[in-house]
Amino acid sequence: MPAAATPAVLTARALLLDMDGTLVNSDAVVERIWRRWADRHGLDGDEVMKVVHGRQGHASMALLLPNRPVEQNHADNARMLAEETADMDGVVPVPGAPEFIASLRGLPHALVTSADVALSTARMAAAGLPLPDVRVTAESVGASKPDPEGFLKGAAELGVDPADCIVFEDSGAGIQAGRAAGMRVVGIGPRAGLHEPDVLVEDLRRVRVEDAGGGTIRLVVN
């Protein structure tokens, strides 16, 4: 079903932002890389695409090829990360992302992504978006989304209680991770609409960020 705005006013002390599908539209690259991988392994590309969004690559592989050795998944993942980092064709900002990121200047926020440092740096640059000062990447965690570790680390680095954080996510795995961390979730786009986030918007043009003073961030969603 298409994403539709859920009018709301929310307050928080920090925002935790996924990257792919939330700030950066990298769907074209993800489709190319993962459908090639699916072909190599005799898997249905459409079924593979239902699994891979939001997770680290090795975690997706573990679900799709449950009997394959973990070491093989990690080796495959490393190769695919290198492929993705070299392929920026079609990588663009999610509508409203440049203005949204600019509005966060001086407010507590962090990037929490399943991409590694190289890929997140390259994709944010390709989309023309500045990297937040606080970043939790694949190297920072021991468990991929839907495990909440990444969001909990982001909150800890910002010195904010998880209950006072709002997550921005597009994928089922990410929304599940945010919920497991005890955080509210703003879902971005149609993928998010399948997983019942607290608030759902088509893209970041529908979100206004205000400094409410006293360490409080106000989000106006319409």
Side-chain angles (χ1 to χ4, degrees):
M1 73 180 199
T6 308
V9 177
L10 305 173
T11 58
R13 300 187 78 82
L15 306 182
L16 302 179
L17 316 173
D18 174 52
M19 181 181 71
D20 292 302
T22 300
L23 300 174
V24 175
N25 183 345
S26 56
D27 282 2
V29 182
V30 175
E31 289 266 346
R32 282 195 294 274
I33 300 288
W34 277 100
R35 285 186 182 277
R36 283 203 298 264
W37 182 88
D39 287 344
R40 287 198 297 271
H41 295 280
L43 299 174
D44 182 276
D46 291 339
E47 294 304 311
V48 167
M49 295 312 302
K50 292 176 183 177
V51 171
V52 301
H53 291 290
R55 292 181 171 85
Q56 291 186 37
H58 63 82
S60 295
M61 293 171 195
L63 291 174
L64 293 161
L65 296 173
N67 297 319
R68 198 163 80 141
V70 170
E71 297 77 17
Q72 210 169 331
N73 290 339
H74 280 275
D76 236 4
N77 184 46
R79 285 191 293 271
M80 289 175 71
L81 281 170
E83 285 182 58
E84 290 183 86
T85 304
D87 185 354
M88 292 295 130
D89 187 19
V91 174
V92 296
V94 165
E99 297 81 4
F100 176 76
I101 288 287
S103 73
L104 298 182
R105 194 171 294 118
L107 299 175
H109 65 287
L111 188 72
V112 181
T113 175
S114 293
D116 63 3
V117 169
L119 181 57
S120 58
T121 302
R123 281 194 178 152
M124 290 288 280
L129 300 175
L131 281 164
D133 292 336
V134 177
R135 301 183 288 277
V136 179
T137 61
E139 296 95 336
S140 311
V141 297
S144 168
K145 298 172 187 175
D147 190 282
E149 181 185 358
F151 287 125
L152 292 172
K153 281 203 167 186
E157 288 200 34
L158 293 171
V160 176
D161 189 277
D164 291 326
C165 295
I166 292 177
V167 165
F168 283 71
E169 265 287 357
D170 74 299
S171 71
I175 291 169
Q176 187 178 336
R179 283 209 183 102
M183 302 172 183
R184 291 157 291 159
V185 181
V186 174
I188 309 296
R191 275 195 297 268
L194 301 173
H195 302 281
E196 300 182 349
D198 296 286
V199 176
L200 176 65
V201 293
E202 180 182 2
D203 56 47
L204 291 167
R205 292 175 294 186
R206 310 305 297 264
V207 181
R208 188 169 79 250
V209 179
E210 302 171 350
D211 184 348
T216 299
I217 300 168
R218 181 187 293 117
L219 298 179
V220 180
V221 179
N222 55 42

